[in-house]
Amino acid sequence: MNHPPNRKVLISGASIAGPTLAYWLDRHGFKVTVVEKATHLRGGGYAIDIRGTARDVVERMGLLPRLRQAHVDSRQLTFLDPDGEVMAELRPEALTGGIEGVDLEVRRGDLADCLYDLARDKVEFLFNDSIATLDDRGDHVDVTFDSGTRRTFDLVIGADGLHSNTRSLVFGPEERFHRYLGFCFAGFTLPNDADLAHEGVLWNVPGRSAILYAYEPGESTYGFLTFAQDEPPFSAFRNPQAQRDLVAATFPDTVWEIPRMVAAMRGADDLFFDVVSQIHMPAWSTGRVALAGDAAHATSFMSGQGSSVSLVGAYVLAGELATRTDHVTAFAAYENTVREFVERNQALATEGGGVVAPRTRQHLDTRNAILRNRTTMPSSTEGRSAHTAFDLPDYEQSLRTA
Ligand SMILES: Cc1cc2nc3c(=O)[nH]c(=O)nc-3n(C[C@H](O)[C@H](O)[C@H](O)COP(=O)(O)OP(=O)(O)OC[C@H]3O[C@@H](n4cnc5c(N)ncnc54)[C@H](O)[C@@H]3O)c2cc1C
């Protein structure tokens, strides 16, 4: 294959979108560097689903066998009433529109590991560093890193998440693009004292939910506390103690596993606290800089599609860069190709809190009536069509026949 133009690409962020993009760019003949702020690949996070079009991406990466091994195989969701009594039990697919035996559900950290392992020997990874300045000179981009190193790249891609540093440096403050859905959440690991396995247990009162996800018997569980909050708690973002205090004050309940969850959250070394928000941008690129994954189009966990959409977007961005003659047309084609898919999946998350955290008594009663009557959740049919709303182009085939 001829070397593509704009060969030297810097990607900021090594989670889901970053390593996926790095892998495909390398496979298409680019020279890739990934910079990650953390000192090592970050583990942790909830179990994420890989469905529909995203499953095709990981299949093309040869990852299906490994991801099948990592599949956490949730078999049941149990919904509790405010007193902690069982109200309904059902298969997860009844809510998500996923397909039993086809979809993959893996811990976020396991997916990140798989993606990193594929790229690590071919791509340069710089941990514990971050882009400090970016200067798009028209025919290249000059980059200074926090470490003081200066380097030059042909293109820079921000895959650095909901609170993207690259987006702030190039497109402006996050507030311009941030759509807050009115909830915050805290996720953390805790011991499996309730002896759960392959299941999720959800406790709800209006505007608040506590969830325990369990994987293999005997393994740790993952706790998830979600709560409605009118304004994003800006003061808590840079202060882990304030995050813990806010979550604990919001969950004073003495029912079910809540006291144990709050105590575990207080001491957790992997606490992940954030807002439930989306990113909506009029354009995902400018000049020689583009965005991918949550940085460009966060869908929020309430869509159930954040990682899947990030896998698909990264695949398309790499393919368009490989098959177009210049970055301007490639970036435009990337956006034209996946924007509709992204927006359909963003629309799965609503300010009503969906199934996970119905915001008001009315939202909760409506959800519970559906659960009790065992009718299909509207989210399930909408979900299924959004997950598969896009057919993955075969860029390697295009390159072979070009
Ligand atoms: C540790 C972790 C736990 C998560 N847990 C949850 C969860 O429980 N629920 C949920 O809804 N979503 C969670 N997410 C977000 C979820 O992974 C994303 O929504 C989705 O997978 C899209 O992935 P992404 O690669 O676009 O962004 P992300 O997964 O957010 O990854 C962004 C990456 O960029 C890195 N980064 C950030 N700033 C910089 C910078 N200045 N320079 C270089 N690198 C930078 C981050 O460390 C991270 O590795 C988590 C993300 C991480 C990193």
Side-chain angles (χ1 to χ4, degrees):
M1 188 195 306
N2 290 330
H3 283 312
N6 300 315
R7 269 190 85 223
K8 275 176 63 185
V9 182
L10 172 66
I11 299 170
S12 173
S15 176
I16 307 301
T20 306
L21 180 63
Y23 168 83
W24 283 104
L25 284 176
D26 169 75
R27 190 156 148 176
H28 295 317
F30 289 78
K31 192 170 178 328
V32 185
T33 300
V34 180
V35 60
E36 164 61 50
K37 186 174 69 170
T39 49
H40 52 275
L41 195 72
R42 298 174 66 189
Y46 59 141
I48 53 99
D49 297 291
I50 305 170
R51 332 178 162 102
T53 311
R55 194 178 178 284
D56 299 339
V57 175
V58 293
E59 185 169 13
R60 288 183 193 185
M61 296 172 86
L63 279 176
L64 275 190
R66 194 165 158 194
L67 290 173
R68 276 203 201 97
Q69 273 184 351
H71 180 52
V72 300
D73 190 18
S74 292
R75 296 169 196 164
Q76 178 167 290
L77 292 179
T78 302
F79 290 83
L80 305 179
D81 68 15
D83 297 325
E85 300 300 324
V86 174
M87 191 187 63
E89 291 171 332
L90 63 163
R91 288 245 10 144
E93 294 83 10
L95 297 182
T96 60
I99 305 176
E100 186 182 342
V102 175
D103 293 350
L104 295 158
E105 186 189 12
V106 295
R107 294 177 183 83
R108 195 210 64 87
D110 286 350
L111 175 61
D113 268 348
C114 287
L115 297 168
Y116 174 62
D117 281 352
L118 274 191
R120 63 190 303 171
D121 294 334
K122 299 169 182 153
V123 164
E124 179 188 28
F125 279 88
L126 309 171
F127 285 97
N128 196 20
D129 212 346
S130 172
I131 299 172
T133 65
L134 271 174
D135 187 5
D136 185 342
R137 314 282 297 180
D139 60 350
H140 66 272
V141 189
D142 289 328
V143 176
T144 314
F145 294 93
D146 282 352
S147 57
T149 315
R150 288 162 190 260
R151 300 219 353 219
T152 294
F153 296 90
D154 295 319
L155 302 172
V156 176
I157 314 292
D160 37 14
L162 178 66
H163 308 294
S164 167
N165 173 51
T166 313
R167 190 181 58 231
S168 303
L169 288 170
V170 178
F171 296 83
E174 182 169 320
E175 301 85 88
R176 281 191 208 158
F177 314 111
H178 187 122
R179 188 176 297 171
Y180 177 55
L181 296 184
F183 288 89
C184 297
F185 71 92
F188 50 93
T189 302
L190 72 166
N192 190 357
D193 290 355
D195 275 338
L196 303 171
H198 297 290
E199 61 189 305
V201 186
L202 292 83
W203 171 90
N204 287 97
V205 292
R208 289 188 297 138
S209 97
I211 310 179
L212 279 178
Y213 286 111
Y215 309 117
E216 292 295 328
E219 282 187 7
S220 306
T221 48
Y222 197 67
F224 217 61
L225 296 167
T226 306
F227 55 98
Q229 170 97 3
D230 286 343
E231 295 295 326
F234 290 114
S235 56
F237 283 128
R238 290 186 198 289
N239 183 345
Q241 189 53 43
Q243 295 169 5
R244 293 177 204 266
D245 290 345
L246 175 63
V247 179
T250 313
F251 286 87
D253 316 76
T254 52
V255 289
W256 185 51
E257 295 279 331
I258 311 275
R260 193 171 71 85
M261 290 179 76
V262 169
M265 179 276 304
R266 278 214 175 273
D269 58 10
D270 66 344
L271 178 66
F272 187 82
F273 176 88
D274 211 339
V275 281
V276 180
S277 294
Q278 298 188 329
I279 293 295
H280 292 260
M281 302 188 70
W284 298 338
S285 67
T286 177
R288 292 183 164 270
V289 181
L291 301 173
D294 275 10
H297 48 62
T299 59
S300 88
F301 80 80
M302 285 190 183
S303 74
Q305 279 290 91
S307 300
S308 283
V309 168
S310 297
L311 286 164
V312 172
Y315 170 89
V316 170
L317 175 55
E320 294 297 343
L321 282 168
T323 51
R324 306 274 167 178
T325 49
D326 63 86
H327 65 283
V328 178
T329 49
F331 287 161
Y334 154 57
E335 203 165 321
N336 286 339
T337 307
V338 280
R339 190 178 265 280
E340 192 187 330
F341 173 70
V342 165
E343 289 177 354
R344 279 192 67 172
N345 283 285
Q346 283 182 318
L348 297 175
T350 63
E351 294 182 0
V355 178
V356 174
R359 178 183 291 279
T360 61
R361 166 64 54 199
Q362 198 189 351
H363 286 118
L364 186 57
D365 288 347
T366 307
R367 186 205 68 175
N368 290 348
I370 295 174
L371 290 176
R372 287 197 182 99
N373 295 331
R374 296 281 196 277
T375 40
T376 311
M377 278 276 168
S379 56
S380 140
T381 21
E382 285 159 25
R384 188 166 301 186
S385 61
H387 306 158
T388 52
F390 173 60
D391 287 331
L392 216 55
D394 188 345
Y395 294 106
E396 292 196 307
Q397 174 68 20
S398 312
L399 288 165
R400 275 193 296 274
T401 53

